């Protein structure tokens, strides 16, 4: 401790510290008695010189000392009488008064005695000061001031006095005073240091005792020497059993090698499970390190064990939650991926086939929509329970989303054919869980599933591909209504091709690859040209001319249909304008195909009408064909737009009518003016009289609503005649009259100058 810190320490010393005040009072008792004796002795010695005056001085000093002794007695027996601060003040004032009385001796009386007595007085006062240093040492400030009050005036007096060697005496007294102060400071510093060490020791002891760590020391033979309270609970045993216990005799030896190795190699640690003597399971983090016992110079070890069970359990819980589905408790998508990673990285995967089943519930959306999500959830829960029950634990079952489950059966065989047989076996097991209806809230629900099966080949590591294949296969099963489907590469290739095509389609417009064909619509009685339908084509640079059936669904999926429709409208408008200019326009209208969903696109009607206006066309020049199927899906949202377009004079037709099973009430509400009967009805009318009857019925209905009717797909004379027999007012569109033709060919062939 340096001087500055010491000074700070003294400054911060609390004057009301009870220990200091007690020590001041107690230690001063003896010296007060000495003072009484000494003052009497001095009075006796100096009486011949000063007679009553010195007696009075002595009486004053003795009285003061008696008062101080009484004070000390009071403090001991009745210290509540004053506050600590008052006790302190009383002590300090009376002590300083004692010093002042002594100073009178050294400053006043000393002048009237000879050199012999002078030396006597100096000796007495120095001795007194020295005694006071000890008795007042409890408070360094009081001790120094007390000393100073006696020594400094004495020093000044000695310098003035004319006695032999008085300079030497003065120097000696200065040295003495400095030594006194230094001694006081040193002993004080040591006291502080001892106090600090004691505090440190207490702190360490408390830490050792109360730390939330199990702490123990052990000797080189692994016998426990000492331990704290926490270790008792971690070992699940009492201190008596633990002290002296050899670590090798603990029932769970997993962390023991750490303790052993620490003695040889230095600090070691162990993190992991641990079972206590009492059989309790913990998760611990432990450290062990060596230290040299100075007493017997041997190497010993210190072990620290921290109970991390709660944290570990919380982490495990979190890990569980992130990997499992809340509803069913099965693995979720993340858990599934983790699991797959483990599988492909395992050594067994290098040689064995595994199986993956991608299962989706059919019409689950219907259950959710019509019966509510609670019932839907119950179904999912029952499915997962049945899966677990029937497949057991050799399979990993995951629910990767909505109604989609993945079942992985790892390492089924080395041989492909056996693996395939097992796949059949498992798929049968999976399908069997759907035999019995699911009884939920007294409803008997018959649920079916579609399953895509993938054989995971040994060493195959592309998880994404496995899932992709499984997904395609499952959809294949769904599409084919076949419950199960095995992955095959053709299917995958087709899917990839479609993906590429979708990609190419994005550039088809800007690369000018789209083209417009027209197919005439004519009267059935006279084959007189009435109108035409605009049908799009795509001149693909590699695949050649593509039919809309091949790419319109892709455009819908990719969100590009809108762009295509506006291109079609622009192109058709341009042709009409051109034909009008050439004076060969003689059609009632040209129809274009628009998907019902597109009608609800913002501002469709306004944009549509604006385009016609910009091109100087009549609203009746273009008819919009909307398939019955797309209408059913968005009837409510499209109704107003269709009616609005109709009001503006735009004609609208229901395309492919008859196969979407729309109800008549729908038709009534929509102001269409044309029905296009789907080709499917015409195909078999020659061989199947029932079909003809069906067409006849549809025609009756159409007439009731005042629809103009166009029959699609007439391919031969016979079909045409049969239909003509039903209704002479019909229009038709079919290969029999003409296939769709390129715009130029169409105009050359059918559009004559009017
Ligand atoms: P759709 O609107 O029903 O068009 C009639 C389809 O029947 C045309 O097929 C036409 O070539 C075909 N067809 C006409 N007569 C006969 C026949 O006698 N026998 C046979 N076998 N087929 C006949 P295409 O051009 O392949 O178009 C197929 C479908 O693609 C269209 O059916 C329409 O729904 C859609 N589509 C065509 N162009 C567009 C378009 O620009 N936009 C939209 N959204 N869809 C379009
Ligand atoms: Mg059409
Ligand atoms: Mg059609």
């Amino acid at each position: 401790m340096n001087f500055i810190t010491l000074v700070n320490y003294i400054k911060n010393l609390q004057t009301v510290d009870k220990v200091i005040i007690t020590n001041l009072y107690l230690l001063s008792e003896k010296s007060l008695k000495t003072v009484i004796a000494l003052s009497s002795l001095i009075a006796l010695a100096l009486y011949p010189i000063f007679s009553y005056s010195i007696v009075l001085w002595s009486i004053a000093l003795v009285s003061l000392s008696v008062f101080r002794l009484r004070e000390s007695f009071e403090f001991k027996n009745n210290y509540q009488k004053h506050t600590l601060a008052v006790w302190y003040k009383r002590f300090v004032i009376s002590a300083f008064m004692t010093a002042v009385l002594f100073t009178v001796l050294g400053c006043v009386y000393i002048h009237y005695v000879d050199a012999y007595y002078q030396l006597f007085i100096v000796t007495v006062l120095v001795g007194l000061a020295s005694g006071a240093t000890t008795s007042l040492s409890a408070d360094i400030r009081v001790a120094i001031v007390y000393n100073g009050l006696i020594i400094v005036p004495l020093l000044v007096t000695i310098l003035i006095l004319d006695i032999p060697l008085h300079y030497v005496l003065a120097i000696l007294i200065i040295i003495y005073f400095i030594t006194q102060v230094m001694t006081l400071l040193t002993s004080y510093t040591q006291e502080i240091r001892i106090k600090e060490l004691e505090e440190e020791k207490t702190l360490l002891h408390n830490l050792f005792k109360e730390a939330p760590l199990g702490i123990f020391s052990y000797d080189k033979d692994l016998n426990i020497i000492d331990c704290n309270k926490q270790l008792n609970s971690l070992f699940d045993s009492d201190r008596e059993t633990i002290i002296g216990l050899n670590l090798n005799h603990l029932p769970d030896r997993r962390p023991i090698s750490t303790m052993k190795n620490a003695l040889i190699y230095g600090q070691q640690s162990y993190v992991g499970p641990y079972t206590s003597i009492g059989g309790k399971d913990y998760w611990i983090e432990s450290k062990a390190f060596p230290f040299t016992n100075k007493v017997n110079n041997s190497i010993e070890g210190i072990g620290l064990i921290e109970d991390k069970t709660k944290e570990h359990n919380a982490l495990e819980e979190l890990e569980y939650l992130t990997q499992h589905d809340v509803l069913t408790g099965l693995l979720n998508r993340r858990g599934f991926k983790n699991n797959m990673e483990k599988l492909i990285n395992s050594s067994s995967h290098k040689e064995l086939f595994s199986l993956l089943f991608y299962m989706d519930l059919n019409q689950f959306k219907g259950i959710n929509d019509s019966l509510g999500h609670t019932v839907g959830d119950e179904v999912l829960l029952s499915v997962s329970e049945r899966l677990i029950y029937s497949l057991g634990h050799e399979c990993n079952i995951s629910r990767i989303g909505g109604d989609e489950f993945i079942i992985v059966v790892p390492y089924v065989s080395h041989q492909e054919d056996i693996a395939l047989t097992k796949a059949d076996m498992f798929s049968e097991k999976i399908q069997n869980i759907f035999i019995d209806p699911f009884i939920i809230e007294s409803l008997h629900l018959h649920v079916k599933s579609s399953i895509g099966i993938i054989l995971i080949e040994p060493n195959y590591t592309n998880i994404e591909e496995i899932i992709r294949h499984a997904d395609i296969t499952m959809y294949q099963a769904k599409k084919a209504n076949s419950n199960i489907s095995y992955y095959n590469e053709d299917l995958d290739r087709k899917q990839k091709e479609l993906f590429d095509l979708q990609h190419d389609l994005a550039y088809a417009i800007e690369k000018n690859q789209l083209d417009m064909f027209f197919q005439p619509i004519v009267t059935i009685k006279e084959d007189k040209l009435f109108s035409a339908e605009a049908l799009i084509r795509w001149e693909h640079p590699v695949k050649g001319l593509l039919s809309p059936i091949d790419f319109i669904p892709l455009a819908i999926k990719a969100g590009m249909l809108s762009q295509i429709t506006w291109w079609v409208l622009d192109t058709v408008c341009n042709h009409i304008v051109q034909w009008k200019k050439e004076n060969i326009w003689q059609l009632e209208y040209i129809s274009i195909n628009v998907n019902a969903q597109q009608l609800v696109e913002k501002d469709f009607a306004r944009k549509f009408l604006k385009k016609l206006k910009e091109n100087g066309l009549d609203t009746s020049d273009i008819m919009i064909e909307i398939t019955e199927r797309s209408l059913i899906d968005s009837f409510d949202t499209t109704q107003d737009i269709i009616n609005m377009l109709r009001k503006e004079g735009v004609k609208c037709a229901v395309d492919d009518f008859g196969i979407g099973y729309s109800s008549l009430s729908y038709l009534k509400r929509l102001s269409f003016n044309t029905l296009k009967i789907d080709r499917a009805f015409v195909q078999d009318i020659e061989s199947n009289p029932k079909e003809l009857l069906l067409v006849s019925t549809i025609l009756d209905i159409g007439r009731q609503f005042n629809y103009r009717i166009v029959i699609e797909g007439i391919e031969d004379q016979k079909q045409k005649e049969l239909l003509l027999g039903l209704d002479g007012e019909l229009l038709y569109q079919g290969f029999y009259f003409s296939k769709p033709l390129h715009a130029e060919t169409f105009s050359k062939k059918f559009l004559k100058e009017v």
Side-chain angles (χ1 to χ4, degrees):
M1 180 183 290
N2 61 31
F3 187 70
I4 297 169
T5 41
L6 181 75
V7 169
N8 284 336
Y9 196 89
I10 294 171
K11 258 197 219 161
N12 295 335
L13 240 179
Q14 286 223 343
T15 52
V16 287
D17 187 327
K18 195 181 171 203
V19 180
I20 292 178
I21 300 172
T22 311
N23 283 341
L24 282 174
Y25 275 111
L26 292 185
L27 287 174
S28 61
E29 275 179 11
K30 245 187 219 158
S31 59
L32 281 171
K33 286 171 192 161
T34 315
V35 167
I36 293 171
L38 203 62
S39 66
S40 311
L41 203 72
I42 293 170
L44 206 65
L46 298 181
Y47 183 75
I49 305 165
F50 299 108
S51 73
Y52 291 113
S53 143
I54 198 74
V55 174
L56 277 176
W57 173 84
S58 174
I59 289 171
L61 201 54
V62 169
S63 310
L64 186 58
S65 300
V66 170
F67 167 77
R68 287 180 63 194
L69 279 171
R70 220 187 82 81
E71 284 275 288
S72 177
F73 180 79
E74 281 275 298
F75 178 80
K76 269 193 291 186
N77 298 304
N78 188 19
Y79 98 94
Q80 280 95 345
K81 194 174 168 190
H82 305 296
T83 62
L84 281 175
V86 171
W87 278 119
Y88 183 73
K89 258 185 225 155
R90 291 170 81 95
F91 180 87
V92 171
I93 292 169
S94 58
F96 289 172
M97 278 167 69
T98 311
V100 170
L101 279 175
F102 275 115
T103 303
V104 171
L105 187 69
C107 292
V108 181
Y109 287 109
I110 202 165
H111 290 285
Y112 305 101
V113 293
D114 61 20
Y116 173 75
Y117 277 107
Q118 282 172 343
L119 271 177
F120 166 70
I121 291 172
V122 169
T123 315
V124 167
L125 290 181
V126 169
L128 253 169
S130 158
T133 305
T134 321
S135 63
L136 299 175
S137 61
D139 189 329
I140 187 173
R141 296 164 304 175
V142 179
I144 292 174
V145 175
Y146 189 95
N147 254 279
L149 279 174
I150 296 175
I151 298 295
V152 176
L154 179 68
L155 195 64
V156 176
T157 313
I158 285 172
L159 285 171
I160 300 166
L161 281 179
D162 185 21
I163 53 167
L165 297 172
H166 68 134
Y167 283 121
V168 176
L169 200 58
I171 291 168
L172 281 175
I173 288 174
I174 291 171
I175 292 173
Y176 160 79
F177 184 63
I178 292 172
T179 315
Q180 283 296 303
V181 172
M182 291 309 289
T183 312
L184 270 171
L185 287 177
T186 314
S187 77
Y188 201 69
T189 317
Q190 274 170 357
E191 218 173 88
I192 292 167
R193 183 76 197 120
I194 288 167
K195 221 170 158 189
E196 278 177 354
L197 281 173
E198 261 166 15
E199 273 170 14
E200 250 171 53
K201 197 179 151 197
T202 321
L203 186 76
L204 278 175
H205 184 70
N206 285 344
L207 254 178
F208 177 72
K209 251 176 69 187
E210 305 298 337
L213 293 173
I215 307 174
F216 62 100
S217 58
Y218 55 95
D219 64 20
K220 62 176 187 347
D221 299 321
L222 302 184
N223 295 312
I224 296 179
I225 303 169
D226 195 5
C227 72
N228 69 349
K229 230 163 53 186
Q230 180 67 10
L231 195 82
N232 298 355
S233 54
L234 269 172
F235 273 20
D236 223 1
S237 189
D238 53 33
R239 189 176 159 81
E240 285 66 41
T241 319
I242 295 174
I243 304 291
L245 181 81
N246 192 289
L247 290 171
N248 281 318
H249 296 152
L250 286 174
D252 186 349
R253 303 194 66 246
R254 282 174 287 194
I256 307 307
S257 57
T258 312
M259 315 292 164
K260 220 188 268 177
N261 290 341
L263 297 177
I264 309 162
Y265 306 112
Q267 186 174 317
Q268 304 280 312
S269 51
Y270 166 83
V271 178
Y274 165 74
T275 310
S276 73
I277 298 174
K280 235 172 159 182
D281 284 325
Y282 288 95
W283 186 270
I284 58 162
E285 273 182 32
S286 75
K287 271 198 180 88
F289 49 86
F291 85 103
T292 311
N293 186 336
K294 295 271 166 52
V295 181
N296 55 12
N297 221 15
S298 67
I299 300 280
E300 291 175 1
I302 300 272
L304 308 174
I305 301 182
E306 197 171 357
D307 178 6
K308 290 278 187 185
T309 315
K310 267 193 199 147
E311 290 87 336
H312 179 73
N313 289 350
L315 269 177
E316 284 218 316
E317 171 105 10
L318 193 72
E319 187 71 9
Y320 181 88
L321 284 177
T322 54
Q323 306 236 8
H324 288 80
D325 168 37
V326 183
L327 177 67
T328 60
L330 297 176
L331 291 171
N332 61 15
R333 186 175 280 271
R334 209 175 132 170
F336 162 75
K337 276 207 170 147
N338 255 358
N339 210 47
M340 281 303 280
E341 252 150 41
K342 272 188 212 151
L343 185 141
I344 59 162
N345 290 321
S346 66
S347 54
S348 309
H349 178 59
K350 292 196 164 53
E351 293 164 8
L352 290 154
F353 282 88
S354 299
L355 303 173
L356 186 145
F357 301 81
Y358 195 121
M359 184 182 90
D360 176 284
L361 306 185
N362 298 349
Q363 273 98 41
F364 180 72
K365 192 175 176 295
I367 294 180
N368 251 347
D369 290 350
S370 53
L371 303 173
H373 285 263
T374 320
V375 175
D377 283 356
E378 286 295 324
V379 170
L380 292 173
L381 202 58
S382 303
V383 168
S384 82
E385 280 163 3
R386 288 187 189 184
L387 280 174
I388 295 167
Y389 180 76
S390 124
L391 300 175
H393 290 288
E394 54 187 316
C395 306
N396 300 311
I397 310 170
S398 332
R399 177 177 165 233
I400 56 154
D403 60 343
E404 289 174 15
F405 294 81
I406 290 186
I407 298 130
V408 176
V409 194
Y411 324 129
V412 285
S413 172
H414 286 93
Q415 291 162 24
E416 189 170 355
D417 51 347
I418 297 180
L420 280 169
T421 317
K422 288 213 172 168
D424 283 342
M425 199 184 87
F426 276 103
S427 87
E428 203 178 313
K429 268 190 183 181
I430 297 172
Q431 280 170 286
N432 284 349
I433 72 159
F434 295 100
I435 293 177
D436 292 333
F438 292 84
I439 303 167
I440 290 154
E441 291 177 8
S442 73
L443 295 163
H444 283 56
L445 300 172
H446 291 271
V447 180
K448 291 270 166 292
S449 66
S450 305
I451 306 167
I453 306 170
I454 305 289
L455 208 60
I456 307 173
E457 299 200 355
N459 248 336
Y460 189 78
T461 53
N462 194 335
I463 299 175
E464 293 304 323
E465 275 295 280
I466 295 172
I467 299 172
R468 201 178 64 79
H469 290 166
D471 195 23
I472 296 172
T473 315
M474 188 273 292
Y475 273 103
Q476 180 64 19
K478 192 161 261 199
K479 225 163 92 186
N481 235 341
S482 65
N483 289 343
I484 64 162
S485 167
Y486 281 87
Y487 168 71
N488 82 47
E489 275 173 27
D490 280 352
L491 204 70
D492 189 31
R493 195 177 31 76
K494 257 192 212 152
Q495 201 75 22
K496 273 196 181 132
E497 272 178 21
L498 281 180
F499 182 78
D500 291 343
L501 207 61
Q502 194 169 333
H503 176 260
D504 294 345
L505 187 60
Y507 303 99
I509 292 183
E510 62 185 73
K511 288 191 175 165
N512 230 354
Q513 291 168 353
L514 296 184
D515 213 344
M516 209 73 256
F517 274 48
F518 292 90
Q519 187 179 28
I521 296 169
V522 295
T523 60
I524 200 159
K525 218 189 265 172
E526 296 156 326
D527 277 353
K528 189 170 167 264
L529 186 65
F530 185 78
S531 61
E533 178 173 10
L535 296 160
I536 196 169
R537 299 287 180 265
W538 177 13
E539 187 67 58
H540 189 275
V542 180
K543 296 180 189 295
L545 198 65
L546 294 180
S547 147
I549 294 165
D550 295 328
F551 65 89
I552 291 290
L554 289 183
I556 293 174
K557 249 201 215 162
M560 286 187 295
L561 188 66
S562 163
Q563 213 185 337
I564 289 177
T565 307
W566 293 117
W567 178 88
V568 167
L569 183 64
D570 281 338
T571 315
V572 169
C573 283
N574 288 344
H575 283 302
I576 300 177
V577 169
Q578 179 67 24
W579 292 331
K580 279 192 174 175
K581 220 194 259 167
E582 289 172 19
N583 218 10
I584 54 173
W585 173 253
Q586 56 205 250
L587 304 175
E588 280 289 312
Y589 56 83
I590 284 190
S591 62
I592 65 166
N593 294 284
V594 176
N595 191 291
Q597 277 170 20
Q598 214 190 319
L599 293 180
V600 286
E601 204 179 84
K602 197 171 170 282
D603 278 348
F604 177 86
R606 201 184 51 78
K607 255 168 100 179
F608 182 87
L609 294 168
K610 193 171 155 225
K611 276 214 187 298
L612 295 189
K613 210 169 166 195
E614 277 169 6
N615 284 291
L617 300 183
D618 295 333
T619 47
S620 59
D621 286 341
I622 289 184
M623 174 188 267
I624 294 176
E625 289 188 12
I626 305 161
T627 60
E628 185 193 18
R629 213 179 282 236
S630 79
L631 258 179
I632 292 169
D633 287 341
S634 46
F635 177 80
D636 292 327
T637 42
T638 51
Q639 188 183 359
D640 291 345
I641 300 157
I642 292 167
N643 288 342
M644 178 187 147
L645 285 167
R646 286 285 294 127
K647 251 188 230 144
E648 292 290 330
V650 180
K651 297 187 191 85
C652 294
V654 182
D655 201 358
D656 301 347
F657 181 75
I659 53 170
Y661 314 108
S662 60
S663 81
L664 288 175
S665 60
Y666 278 174
L667 287 184
K668 239 169 139 179
R669 277 152 65 186
L670 291 174
S671 43
F672 283 97
N673 69 342
T674 300
L675 270 194
K676 294 187 80 175
I677 313 282
D678 194 77
R679 185 158 64 85
F681 292 95
V682 182
Q683 259 168 359
D684 299 327
I685 47 170
E686 291 165 83
S687 54
N688 191 348
K690 268 191 193 158
E691 291 283 304
L692 191 64
L693 195 68
L694 197 62
V695 177
S696 161
T697 320
I698 296 173
L699 294 184
D700 284 343
I701 297 166
R703 263 184 245 110
Q704 266 184 35
F705 289 117
N706 255 339
Y707 287 123
R708 173 168 280 151
I709 295 171
V710 178
I711 306 278
E712 293 186 305
I714 296 187
E715 291 186 351
D716 58 42
Q717 169 111 30
K718 188 82 208 288
Q719 287 170 341
K720 186 188 158 188
E721 275 168 8
L722 283 170
L723 288 161
L724 178 64
L726 289 181
D727 185 348
E729 295 304 307
L730 290 177
L731 297 169
Y732 79 93
Q733 175 184 355
F735 290 176
Y736 174 67
F737 183 76
S738 167
K739 284 195 167 179
L741 301 171
H742 190 266
E744 228 170 89
T745 326
F746 172 79
S747 67
K748 262 194 200 137
K749 193 164 174 192
F750 295 113
L751 302 181
K752 305 271 154 22
E753 211 165 321
V754 275

